[in-house]
Amino acid sequence: MRYEALKRDEILKGIKGTIFSNIILLDEIDSTNNFAKKLVSEGVKEGTIIIAESQTAGKGRMGRSWFSKKYANLLFSLLLRPNLGKEYIFSLSMGLALSSIEAIEKIVGIHAMIKWPNDIYVADKKLAGILSEFSIKGKTLEYVILGMGINVNWHPENKEFLYPATSLFKEKGEYIKREPLLSEILQRFDRYYKDILNEDIDRLYDMWNKRSMIIGREVSVMGYEKELKGRVIRIERDGSLILKVNGKEERVLYGDVSLR
Ligand code: BTN
């Protein structure tokens, strides 16, 4: 398949009026999250989005790598400097996850779900992931980098992966143009971001919960060193996962979930 490079003008046109006024579009970089971190140290303002056509060292959660193919997918990082308490860090990635599944539904017509913490799945296959990196000063967030990779027209086939992957191309059976999808995600995120800045996350939290694929399900969670098996009771606003394990509630802050 012949992939087409992203058109900067089209993206800019699609996100007029949002906080994203500074677009950095790169042909190749180690990782857009790393690049964003460099910009943070140089004092770059909030509302900057770094988009790359390819990454040489794309990072996933839990020390994993993120693979993509040049010009095929969406790889981007949002640089935010919200004036918020650190308890809002999860809401920000919740906002991006929800924005992306809503945008995918509207632009591509595919129904995706969210797997804790903020992976995007279509049926039992992983379509996209979010890696958030941030710094906390005292009780507040100094900066937040939300990095997202979406398998738009290509997905890794490696059978050794923890989860099988898919792409929008595979699910839809046709080439997907990337600019309208990215613009729709950013427009939606812009609205959720304003709610979060007003500390008004009820609507976001409710809608996110409706799209969570693990609530009420039997799961196993691989955390730092131990595995927990139980039923998901709820996910709290700060992102902690509450499991019922042998009749007792357990709180999990970090890990990988598999459905049982
Ligand atoms: C995950 O599901 O493990 C998170 C994947 C996040 C990948 C994206 S691609 C753009 C940004 N830059 C990175 O190095 N990682 C994120």
Side-chain angles (χ1 to χ4, degrees), residues 66 73 110 120-128 150-157 161 163-172:
W66 186 260
N73 290 335
I110 281 176
I120 309 298
Y121 271 68
V122 176
D124 53 353
K125 298 197 183 90
K126 183 158 169 170
L127 179 76
I150 308 178
N151 298 333
V152 181
N153 288 304
W154 178 90
H155 66 278
E157 297 276 3
F161 277 0
Y163 308 107
T166 191
S167 65
L168 293 173
F169 170 78
K170 170 95 188 291
E171 299 298 323
K172 183 82 178 173

Side-chain angles (χ1 to χ4, degrees), residues 30-34 50 55 57-62 64-66 74-77 118-119 126 128-133 146-150:
D30 56 346
S31 144
T32 55
N33 270 33
N34 291 351
I50 299 102
Q55 296 183 128
K59 301 186 292 184
R61 283 178 59 245
M62 301 181 80
R64 287 191 285 259
S65 299
W66 186 260
L74 283 172
L75 307 163
F76 60 91
S77 299
N118 270 306
D119 287 352
K126 183 158 169 170
I130 295 173
L131 175 67
S132 61
E133 297 186 85
L146 293 179
M148 179 158 213
I150 308 178

Side-chain angles (χ1 to χ4, degrees), residues 53-182:
E53 290 287 19
S54 74
Q55 296 183 128
T56 52
K59 301 186 292 184
R61 283 178 59 245
M62 301 181 80
R64 287 191 285 259
S65 299
W66 186 260
F67 300 98
S68 185
K69 190 174 181 131
K70 200 163 191 176
Y71 304 124
N73 290 335
L74 283 172
L75 307 163
F76 60 91
S77 299
L78 310 181
L79 197 171
L80 306 169
R81 296 182 183 275
N83 187 12
L84 285 170
K86 60 182 188 325
E87 65 277 16
Y88 283 96
I89 181 65
F90 189 72
S91 315
L92 294 165
S93 54
M94 207 157 70
L96 184 57
L98 191 62
S99 302
S100 62
I101 59 168
E102 288 176 351
I104 287 167
E105 198 148 347
K106 177 166 175 206
I107 303 287
V108 189
I110 281 176
H111 188 80
M113 296 287 279
I114 302 167
K115 192 167 95 168
W116 184 86
N118 270 306
D119 287 352
I120 309 298
Y121 271 68
V122 176
D124 53 353
K125 298 197 183 90
K126 183 158 169 170
L127 179 76
I130 295 173
L131 175 67
S132 61
E133 297 186 85
F134 50 91
S135 158
I136 293 169
K137 219 181 200 165
K139 286 186 172 161
T140 54
L141 292 169
E142 190 185 13
Y143 71 81
V144 178
I145 294 164
L146 293 179
M148 179 158 213
I150 308 178
N151 298 333
V152 181
N153 288 304
W154 178 90
H155 66 278
E157 297 276 3
N158 195 337
K159 303 269 185 304
E160 286 151 32
F161 277 0
L162 196 54
Y163 308 107
T166 191
S167 65
L168 293 173
F169 170 78
K170 170 95 188 291
E171 299 298 323
K172 183 82 178 173
E174 62 190 52
Y175 180 80
I176 309 292
K177 201 166 146 46
R178 293 175 294 161
E179 293 87 344
L181 179 60
L182 179 60

Side-chain angles (χ1 to χ4, degrees), residues 13-49:
K13 216 165 58 195
I15 58 173
K16 247 192 223 143
T18 70
I19 57 153
F20 299 105
S21 50
N22 187 20
I23 295 191
I24 301 176
L25 178 54
L26 306 164
D27 197 53
E28 186 169 283
I29 193 73
D30 56 346
S31 144
T32 55
N33 270 33
N34 291 351
F35 192 85
K37 250 187 260 173
K38 252 179 257 155
L39 295 182
V40 164
S41 65
E42 291 165 13
V44 164
K45 62 178 183 176
E46 112 151 342
T48 296
I49 168 166

